[in-house]
Amino acid sequence: MSVARPARPPEPAPPDSVRLAEALIFCAPAPMTEADLAARLPPGTDVPALLAEIARTYAPRGITLARVAGGYAFRTAPDLAPCLRGASPEPRKLSRAALETLAIVAYHQPVTRAEIEEIRGVTTSKGSLDLLLETGWVRLRGRRRTPGRPVTYGTTPAFLDHFGLDAVSDLPGLDELKGLGLIEGRLPAGVRLRQPSDTAVPDEDPLAPGEDAAD
């Protein structure tokens, strides 16, 4: 009677592949996906195992491998954040209107300008949306299948990267927002956050190539 042998642990990735992957991730201007790495690494490289090896190596260090915006990037260890304040120039601060608009786009995407104004209860200035488009955190997604064919807005991979999110589904929910102190007091009954989508939805058409997407 044969006895099943225990599964052998995966072999560590070859050092040259690990070093090349580290260099690719370090030099990339945006998080690299597994497909991006597979295209640049030797054929047959087990990319998930290689990434796991890098993550284990860097876990106790000051720089860690993080999964953000659907890819992988090196980031400073979260526990070192208090020591690094002031080490880099402060980014341009958004106005309250722009922050509110960004939050609505993030949590309600795809969303039109009219829908943003309905949620905020005030007119949304073109400047707020233009600023968010300039930062690269908001993009023109498509057009709603309603009269007038209004443009829809959504967030970008740069937004996910900046806020350390892998996907829009990782956005904090109501309970988390309350725990962070971002929502105070009692909310009206029935208030909920809509499940955002970063993929096409049934009532939305993508923008045509070269289309002038002015709202």
Side-chain angles (χ1 to χ4, degrees):
M1 179 178 177
S2 61
V3 179
R5 296 180 180 179
R8 294 180 61 186
E11 294 290 333
D16 55 331
S17 294
V18 171
R19 294 178 65 235
L20 176 56
E22 289 175 342
L24 289 169
I25 295 170
F26 179 77
C27 294
M32 294 196 74
T33 65
E34 290 186 11
D36 294 333
L37 289 167
R40 303 288 298 275
L41 293 170
T45 300
D46 187 343
V47 176
L50 180 147
L51 290 168
E53 179 76 13
I54 295 175
R56 285 193 296 270
T57 300
Y58 281 86
R61 298 183 180 178
I63 295 174
T64 61
L65 184 66
R67 182 172 172 83
V68 289
Y72 294 85
F74 285 116
R75 294 289 183 266
T76 53
D79 62 297
L80 298 180
C83 304
L84 300 176
R85 288 180 184 145
S88 58
E90 287 290 326
R92 180 179 180 182
K93 292 185 177 180
L94 299 179
S95 66
R96 178 169 180 173
L99 283 172
E100 290 178 354
T101 301
L102 177 61
I104 292 170
V105 171
Y107 280 98
H108 292 262
Q109 60 185 301
V111 63
T112 66
R113 180 174 176 177
E115 290 167 343
I116 294 172
E117 293 178 346
E118 181 180 359
I119 295 169
R120 290 191 66 218
V122 295
T123 300
T124 299
S125 70
K126 189 173 183 295
S128 294
L129 282 170
D130 285 345
L131 176 59
L132 294 174
L133 290 168
E134 288 176 13
T135 63
W137 290 353
V138 168
R139 65 186 174 95
L140 301 171
R141 287 180 42 132
R143 291 190 179 275
R144 187 80 77 200
R145 294 177 184 173
T146 55
R149 305 277 291 159
V151 168
T152 55
Y153 296 88
T155 53
T156 66
F159 167 84
L160 298 175
D161 187 9
H162 182 85
F163 290 98
L165 303 171
D166 185 31
V168 294
S169 57
D170 294 330
L171 285 165
L174 277 176
D175 291 340
E176 291 173 279
L177 292 175
K178 290 178 183 177
L180 292 171
L182 300 178
I183 295 180
E184 299 178 355
R186 299 185 59 183
L187 294 171
V191 169
R192 63 183 182 85
L193 296 178
R194 197 175 92 181
Q195 180 62 41
S197 172
D198 53 5
T199 58
V201 295
D203 65 344
E204 179 189 33
D205 289 322
L207 294 175
E211 178 184 5
D212 179 8
D215 193 0

